[in-house]
Amino acid sequence: MNAPDRYERFVVPEGVAKVSYERDTKIINAASFTIEREDHTIGNIVRMQLHRDENVLFAGYKLPHPLKYKIIIRIHTTSQSSPMQAYNQAINDLDKELDHLKNAFEAELARHSGSQSRQY
Amino acid sequence: MKKKENELEKTQPTKPTVRKIFGTQQISEDDALSLVGGIVEKGFSDNSQFRSTGPSYAPRPTVLPFPVARHRSHGPHWSAKVGGSNGIDDEDEEEEQDFTGMNMAATFANPVQRKEKKGLDFSWLRETVNNNGGSVPHEKKRQGYLIGSNEWKGGKEANYKNSDGSGRWILTQDDAPLTRADFDAKEKDVTMEDKVSIIPEEVKEKRQDVLAMAIDDGQSNFKHSAAENFVQTKERPRSGIIEDREGIKGNIEPQLLNRPIKDIDVDMEMQCRPTTHFDSSFGYDKLVDKQAATSLESQIDLENRARLEKMSSDEIAEAQSEIMTKMSPKLINALRKRGQDKLKKQKISVSDMGSNGSSGTEQKEKNLINEPAMSGASSSSHDVQKAASADSLIDKDNKVVPNLSSKGSSLWDSWSKRVEHVRDLRFSLDGDVFKPDFAQILDAGTKQVHSGYSADNVSERDFLRTEGDPGAAGYTVKEAVALTRSVVPGQRALALHLIASILDKANCSIYQHQVGCNMKFAESDESIDWEAIWAFVLGPEPELALSLRISLDDNHNSVVLACAKAIQSVLSCDINESFFNISEKIPTYSQDLFTAPVFRSKPDIDSGFLRGGFWKYNTKPSNILRFDEDTIDDKSDGEHTIQDDIVVAGQDIAAGLVRMGILPRICYLLETSPSPPLEECLISILIAIARHSPTCAAAIINCDRLVQTVANRFAANEQIEIYPCKIKSVKLLKVLARVEKKNCIMLIKNGIFHKVTWHLYRYPFSLDQWVKSGRDVCKLSSALLVEQLRFCKVCIQFGYGISQFPDLFPSLSIWLNVPTFPKLIENNVIIEFAAITKEAYLLLDALASRLPNFYLQMHQGMEVNAEDTEVWAWSQVGPIIDLAIEWTKVKSIPYISGFLDWDEAGGYFILQDSEVNCLLWIISSVMHMLSNVLKAATPDDVKSLYNGHVPWLPEFVPKIGLEIIRNGFMSFSGVNGMASDDNTAGSGSFLGYLCHLRQKSGHETSISSTCCLHGLVQVVASVDKLIHLAKHEFQNASAEYQNFTRDDKILAEGIFHSSLVELGALLSSFMKLISNGWQCIQSIEMFGRGGPSPGVGVGWGSPGGGYWSTTTLLAQQDARLVMYLLENTQNAFAKDLLTDEEVCFTMQRINSAVKACMIAGPRDGAVVDKLLDILLQVPVLKHLDFGIRRFLSHREGFRPFGWKYEEEEYLLFANVLSTHFKNRWLSVKNKLKTTGNHKHVNCKRHKKGSLPLETIHEDTDRPLTVGQGPTSLIMEWAHQRLHLPIHWFLSAISTIQYEKNIDIPVDFVEIARGGLFFLLGIEAMSTFVAVEFQSPVNNIPIVWKLHALSVTLLGGMGVLEEEKSRDVYETLQDVYGKVLEKFNMESLYFQSEIHESYSTFIENLVEQFAAVSYGDVVFARQVAIYLHRRVEAPVRLATWNALSNARVLELFPPLEKCIAKGDGYLEPVEDDERILEAYVKSWVSGALDRAATRRSATFTLVLHHLSSFLFENVCDSTRTLRNKLARSLLRDCPRKEQRQNMLMKLIQYKKSIPCAEPISDVASSLQICLGKRFQLLKESCEGN
């Protein structure tokens, strides 16, 4: 009834950054990133990627509320790195990995469809 | 079930044969049987079919004998159907026939059975205790039982082993299957609902299984040759008995038969279960002797069927002859003796059986059918599959079972057992239980077969005392209830009398018990479990309400009277009245309580699962009134069945009766001018109903003509003579008036009020006349006048009828004066006189609280109140004060003056308790009246006064003060320089005497003396305050001051101040009293539903009356006094630095305030409010802080904080906490939601009516201030939360979000911080307090404390982010860690103790941990506690899984840094398969990788448990699992170097602690060890 509109789930409102960064005042090398209009899909994958990073001491995300369409990712790193760096790296790595996945998939698909067309 | 019927009937034809078999002793069974069967009750058809086959058969019903309400599940249709379907007598076809019949029947049987079960089931009661959702626990239990049975058997075998010959083995084998069958029975109980549908197929399968199983297991299970018999003949163990007996009867000695069973050391339950069977089989032999016909028949039948089904006719004949010849009397005797031993313990199982089906016989048969099959099944699943030595697993399973059934539910189980036990009790006509002597035991034995009669099939049975044995004395409850529907009026009346006397007895006995001695009821035979009897009688099963309601419609006067008496007992009118009577004497209570039973709403996560939710009515108020709507609405008639009524009555019997329309019937009965006793009964019933709940009271008001009729009957016989029912009528009207202001107005406007109180205004006759009229008349008139005065008081409390006081005063004045005692004593009417006087002063008390403020009035002149209520005028007060002051001259009052000569050594002359008591009541009401007057004379607003002083003092103020001083109320021993012994020489003070009385006397005197004390202290405080306000006069005249007498000086200095020492002593003695009180009160609330029983009993059936006992009342009164004293001696807190003693004392004060909070009942909202104010003020918090610091510096392992709280922080905490606690615990649930289309005007009005109840939370003790009277003088339990649960102060930290509708934004972090501080303070405090003042905080289970700490974190990390609260939090963790180490036996039952879905909570907590914690150490420690070995397995598993999924296993600190010692996490070694699997899974999935590198506690856990499981406890039972785990570990390892390292660690792991041996040794042994381990791994991979 008074649920938010559907588009709220993916349209970032004007004047709001997609990703905002907030440093944690109490702990060194810790920060939280608020990503607007995303949910577990992104949250989980980013977190798991962050977990692979040796320098990341803590990485967690949460969806504050099912009807608030944003996630908050918290990162705590060693002094060798910084949350921002770790976050960027994780994103880049994910990007590459997914690219790779996509290419591999397409290549395979092409091979497969090629072989199929050859068959017929 | 139907199937059983089938079989039962089918076996009939064989009966004669069997009788020949067993009828060794020339019994004329036929005679007996025909005798019994021959009595034909009216309404039973004499079914010729059955008659022809066997006269013993109970007649089948075709018509119901009495217009019993019917539900479609009732009635004989099913039995008729079955009867029709099986006319086949052919034995050969029997088996097949069975199965088909069974299947057919199954479709019919299900719904009927299920419905029925619902009726019998008590489980609705336990909703809050245990909502049994899934079938998983059932499944578990069943397994447990099966295993148990195996074990039992094992034990038995062991026992037999050393005894000699093989003959005994046979017995073992016989027994084992039997026990299994019993476990089946039990299991059926548990899964009854599912079972009903399953059974038929099961049975079928099992039948076939028997063959296979028996052969399979033959070797392993039954090593004796008898087993071959077993297999060959495909016979049941039961028949096996017979055969075996033949073989062994020669060499079995009776003693040997007896011995083994006694030796077997299995737990009680297990021991109980087997007994049923013994007794059925052995009791049977007995029966043959005893010619107990009725039960014999089914016994034989049962035997029959069991045997004959599998035997050929030849075999039968053979067995016949063999048994006939071979059974020696000696053997029979031995067997019988053993049976008796067992019988004593068998009651539980009997009741189980009874509850299962409508007839025990059927149940029994079912057992027999399943028995071999189940034994086969169990042996197949456990013995065969898991090989012979599956000990450890079985052990574990057995352990799991008790764990699963929570403490609460085990409590529940024992309770329901107790209740079920009542089923078998037989009562004599005066309500006594017949002690089962030997003969009775026999009866019990036979009866179990028959006891399952319910209202459905009662008609199948012969009438009167026919549960099994016509010779048995007395009746069971159900028999009695059934008998109320007899066709013979005499029987009905008799039955009703019986029920009434049972209930009366139960009521009295319950009342005599100790409050709070719950559940310690040993199953000893000598004491009778009256609580259980009460619960059973009122419970849903006997359908008592329905029978009573029907009986009330009877057209025989005697039956109606008996019924009214029974209803009166059901509603426990008399005892409730006596409670209310005392409660009304207490001046501080202006409100009564509704008696409707209530239960607490379930705790939810928002309130941190804390107990102590809002009370709710057992029956929804909207369910009580049904008939109003429905008579209009034809449609809904169809929807409501009598079943609904019964359900309502089962929840709350009074509500059920009202719902069944008892009121119109009573009205009718009253109109027909009933006999005086009946009228009295009816009116008491009405009183009880009016006290029940607002809805019921409204129903009375709204019932046409009812109130009018009562009033008319009062006025009808206008004579001066007074009947008891007149008194009751006044009482009824008073109660009705109390319920609602509206009713009161109505009664006044109708003129009913005047009609019933005219006695008060009667000519002012003299006391002499009254005394001369004779003692009996005095008694009656006193009782009447008291009630009338109370009625008046109610009106005055609502603010009406005050203007009539001048008319009333002349007639009252004779009572208000101090009488000439000798005359009263001479005529022995002093008690009656005192009752009136006391009541008159209470009336004045009520009036006094209606006084306008003295100074206000003086300044502003008479102010007309805008309300239609009236105020009392000061002009009338003067003479009354004079009269009252006369009463304070205690020295001149005989009896009381005697108190003053009392001294500690004893030797005060002893009066009759009751007389002292009544005089005390007078004094207490006088005191309260005076204090109210003084309160009215105290200016509201001190600052507005000139100079802060009152211009002048009304002269009565010093007068009262002086009288108090002169009459030795206090000893003033502390007054400086004064000769304290001029006139109080050698004597204690009145205060001291009261204190003594409080400790030494009975309940009522204790209450009255406490009230007296309270009144006295109040008066003294008020006088002091007023004099202090007027003091400047004294100061001006300091010259005169020296000339003052001692009394005046005391007055000037303040009485309170002068007697501080005495008051201190008073306070400490009451603090002691309180510390006994609170545990009592806390222990009352055992079950979710307010008490153990439904209905409206005394304290809802809890022992000693529970909340409705004088004990409770007394405790609450004590709490009140303590509160008042604490409040008035607060300045003790003001001091800053303290010596040890002072610390101790202040701690005690804090402690007792906390305790007093827990005593306060629903009426004491104001008290709790005050107490919270006292507790939560800055000085107290400072003391707590001081205590914490001392605690930290003195205890080992704690370091003091490096910071200090600031003043503002204390202030903040005080504010935040007190608002929180008040909101949380004192708020009243407002039902603002209008209930849909509900047309009940009065219902709605009532809900509104509950709103103004909030007035009780005002600061004044008496909520009645001028102009805003309450609309009701009766409190509801429902919609509020008091009594506080024991862990109430945890609410501050374990609340996430407690009231959705409170708009004020509450900072939960602040509350939590305050709460943590407060908790630590109290914890620290508890270490300083002496043992006898045991702190309540120590009584809270550690689970709750740990849980509360976790809940704080669920809301957010705020608490941990702030440095101070973080330290406090960590300290608390350490404190609890120490506690954990100290009591290292008890387990942490999070799931069963706190909430059944605790795993969900854990998941949320872990999620929170994973998302926002940054791996905070304190948080991690908190989470890690759930991995502690003593946490129950499901919670541990849930925690581990959640952690593993969230990939946060690495965030834990090393094990040493966790709460409590690391050992607790490691030992004993994990044996739960699922958890071990979960460990391996997270290992394999890589979740542990980082944990390994970071040395977090989780990795250590895994290493330890896995390595000990894989390498150390090598036994076959766990081989499969071990292999599986090892394989997956190894398979995973080559992929990653990291894992290889981990695996190496695992292999090399050795618990580091016992490392005392030289290193070389270790190294070498390690080498060997490693070799072994590799070997093991290799093995487990089976060469792969």
Side-chain angles (χ1 to χ4, degrees), chain B residues 691-910:
Chain B
R691 285 201 193 280
H692 177 264
S693 66
T695 327
C696 284
I700 290 181
I701 291 281
N702 293 332
C703 181
D704 290 336
R705 308 188 311 275
L706 182 55
V707 176
Q708 200 58 48
T709 312
V710 171
N712 289 343
R713 292 207 46 88
F714 183 87
N717 12 25
E718 191 77 29
Q719 304 97 321
I720 308 294
E721 277 158 62
I722 299 160
Y723 298 113
C725 56
K726 278 193 177 178
I727 300 166
K728 291 211 163 149
S729 305
V730 180
K731 194 182 264 181
L732 170 65
L733 292 172
K734 174 199 74 184
V735 172
L736 287 176
R738 287 185 85 107
V739 172
E740 240 189 309
K741 196 172 184 174
K742 177 180 64 96
N743 297 348
C744 184
I745 300 170
M746 194 266 288
L747 290 175
I748 291 174
K749 288 199 175 139
N750 280 350
I752 292 177
F753 174 67
H754 288 283
K755 218 190 262 177
V756 299
T757 54
W758 67 272
H759 293 83
L760 284 179
Y761 299 93
R762 233 163 36 150
Y763 51 92
F765 62 102
S766 74
L767 196 59
D768 288 342
Q769 266 173 296
W770 186 71
V771 171
K772 270 176 201 155
S773 60
R775 179 141 197 274
D776 293 337
V777 178
C778 283
K779 243 185 186 163
L780 284 176
S781 77
S782 149
L784 182 64
L785 279 177
V786 166
E787 284 307 322
Q788 286 170 331
L789 283 168
R790 283 179 181 167
F791 194 9
C792 279
K793 191 175 81 180
V794 171
C795 289
I796 286 166
Q797 280 169 337
F798 280 124
Y800 300 104
I802 294 172
S803 58
Q804 287 158 11
F805 181 72
D807 306 335
L808 195 58
F809 186 66
S811 53
L812 274 190
S813 58
I814 61 161
W815 309 114
L816 295 176
N817 268 315
V818 178
T820 43
F821 277 99
K823 200 184 283 167
L824 293 176
I825 294 165
E826 196 180 302
N827 288 290
N828 198 14
V829 289
I830 188 160
I831 295 173
E832 284 74 22
F833 175 83
I836 302 175
T837 309
K838 168 214 65 188
E839 208 52 52
Y841 274 107
L842 284 177
L843 177 75
L844 293 177
D845 184 28
L847 272 171
S849 61
R850 289 253 153 207
L851 276 173
N853 192 286
F854 189 70
Y855 293 94
L856 204 69
Q857 195 190 17
M858 209 176 57
H859 288 310
Q860 295 161 9
M862 280 301 277
E863 192 181 314
V864 184
N865 229 301
E867 292 257 344
D868 56 340
T869 54
E870 303 146 64
V871 293
W872 205 25
W874 276 97
S875 55
Q876 293 162 8
V877 179
I880 288 165
I881 291 178
D882 290 339
L883 287 174
I885 286 177
E886 286 302 304
W887 277 104
T888 59
K889 292 176 182 164
V890 285
K891 280 184 180 169
S892 58
I893 302 172
Y895 287 155
I896 297 182
S897 62
F899 303 167
L900 298 174
D901 298 331
W902 161 81
D903 61 326
E904 283 289 350
Y908 62 99
F909 69 98
I910 297 154

Side-chain angles (χ1 to χ4, degrees), chain A residues 24 31 51 53 56-58 60 74, chain B residues 1410-1412 1414-1415 1451 1490 1494:
Chain A
D24 195 292
H51 275 309
D53 190 335
V56 171
L57 293 173
F58 175 89
R74 286 199 168 191
Chain B
V1412 296
Y1414 286 131
L1451 293 181
R1490 282 151 68 98
R1494 289 199 204 171

Side-chain angles (χ1 to χ4, degrees), chain A residues 24 26-27 30-32 47-48 51-54 56-62 74-76, chain B residues 1357 1361-1362 1407-1416 1445-1448 1450-1451 1490 1493-1494:
Chain A
D24 195 292
K26 300 225 166 66
I27 307 172
S32 54
R47 179 190 64 170
M48 294 314 281
H51 275 309
R52 290 188 190 171
D53 190 335
E54 277 303 314
V56 171
L57 293 173
F58 175 89
Y61 80 99
K62 78 167 173 180
R74 286 199 168 191
I75 304 172
H76 181 202
Chain B
M1357 290 275 292
E1361 277 160 9
E1362 205 257 351
E1407 197 174 282
Q1408 180 77 8
F1409 177 59
V1412 296
S1413 71
Y1414 286 131
D1416 186 280
N1445 290 341
R1447 299 287 168 138
V1448 285
E1450 72 266 20
L1451 293 181
R1490 282 151 68 98
T1493 50
R1494 289 199 204 171

Side-chain angles (χ1 to χ4, degrees), chain B residues 1308-1323:
Chain B
F1308 286 103
V1309 176
E1310 288 304 328
I1311 294 178
R1313 286 178 55 202
L1316 285 172
F1317 166 73
F1318 189 68
L1319 180 61
L1320 182 57
I1322 292 187
E1323 287 282 357

Side-chain angles (χ1 to χ4, degrees), chain B residues 261-418:
Chain B
I261 292 171
K262 279 180 192 152
D263 288 350
I264 290 164
D265 193 19
V266 289
D267 71 338
M268 188 62 187
E269 249 186 286
M270 291 196 172
Q271 216 169 15
C272 291
R273 276 160 213 296
T275 59
T276 335
H277 268 276
F278 287 127
D279 112 72
S280 67
S281 57
F282 299 124
Y284 143 75
D285 293 320
K286 219 174 347 189
L287 286 178
V288 176
D289 296 338
K290 291 222 77 177
Q291 312 170 13
T294 4
S295 59
L296 185 65
E297 132 207 358
S298 59
Q299 287 283 0
I300 290 172
D301 180 48
L302 183 154
E303 289 290 339
N304 252 347
R305 216 185 35 67
R307 289 196 52 192
L308 293 176
E309 244 171 40
K310 302 278 175 167
M311 277 175 126
S312 72
S313 55
D314 290 352
E315 280 170 337
I316 292 174
E318 209 175 287
Q320 259 179 339
S321 57
E322 271 171 353
I323 289 171
M324 289 278 273
T325 51
K326 286 180 182 173
M327 246 195 333
S328 72
K330 210 176 176 188
L331 176 63
I332 292 173
N333 277 334
L335 295 175
R336 186 186 299 156
K337 207 169 174 191
R338 194 164 80 169
Q340 281 156 17
D341 286 345
K342 292 296 157 182
L343 267 172
K344 282 172 191 159
K345 298 170 194 165
Q346 57 102 33
K347 274 146 196 165
I348 300 155
S349 42
V350 168
S351 55
D352 279 349
M353 311 211 74
S355 72
N356 269 341
S358 57
S359 144
T361 322
E362 292 165 4
Q363 183 59 43
K364 201 80 176 185
E365 284 177 304
K366 197 191 290 170
N367 288 349
L368 277 181
I369 291 165
N370 286 346
E371 170 187 308
M374 278 317 266
S375 67
S378 67
S379 44
S380 71
S381 59
H382 293 280
D383 295 2
V384 178
Q385 214 174 40
K386 292 185 180 170
S389 60
D391 294 335
S392 69
L393 270 180
I394 289 171
D395 273 352
K396 175 205 69 192
D397 270 15
N398 270 343
K399 258 177 228 154
V400 168
V401 174
N403 285 1
L404 276 180
S405 60
S406 64
K407 257 186 205 168
S409 75
S410 70
L411 197 66
W412 178 265
D413 287 342
S414 73
W415 166 246
S416 60
K417 256 176 216 157
R418 281 167 57 189

Side-chain angles (χ1 to χ4, degrees), chain B residues 183-239:
Chain B
F183 285 105
D184 292 355
K186 173 73 177 211
E187 161 217 338
K188 241 167 265 152
D189 284 349
V190 177
T191 57
M192 191 57 200
E193 275 150 79
D194 335 349
K195 260 291 137 89
V196 176
S197 52
I198 299 168
I199 285 166
E201 288 91 66
E202 228 178 33
V203 172
K204 191 170 33 172
E205 277 178 5
K206 278 163 191 168
R207 277 284 166 76
Q208 289 150 356
D209 282 352
V210 178
L211 288 183
M213 281 312 155
I215 295 163
D216 279 355
D217 302 337
Q219 294 86 332
S220 63
N221 258 348
F222 308 110
K223 285 172 188 152
H224 190 258
S225 57
E228 280 138 40
N229 273 344
F230 185 85
V231 177
Q232 279 167 3
T233 57
K234 302 156 200 170
E235 211 184 34
R236 308 288 180 78
R238 177 53 60 89
S239 47

Side-chain angles (χ1 to χ4, degrees), chain B residues 19 84 149 480 568 629 812 857 1097 1284 1321 1409 1472 1564:
Chain B
R19 217 181 284 138
S149 78
Q568 206 182 348
E629 280 173 85
L812 274 190
Q857 195 190 17
L1284 294 181
F1409 177 59
D1472 191 303
S1564 61

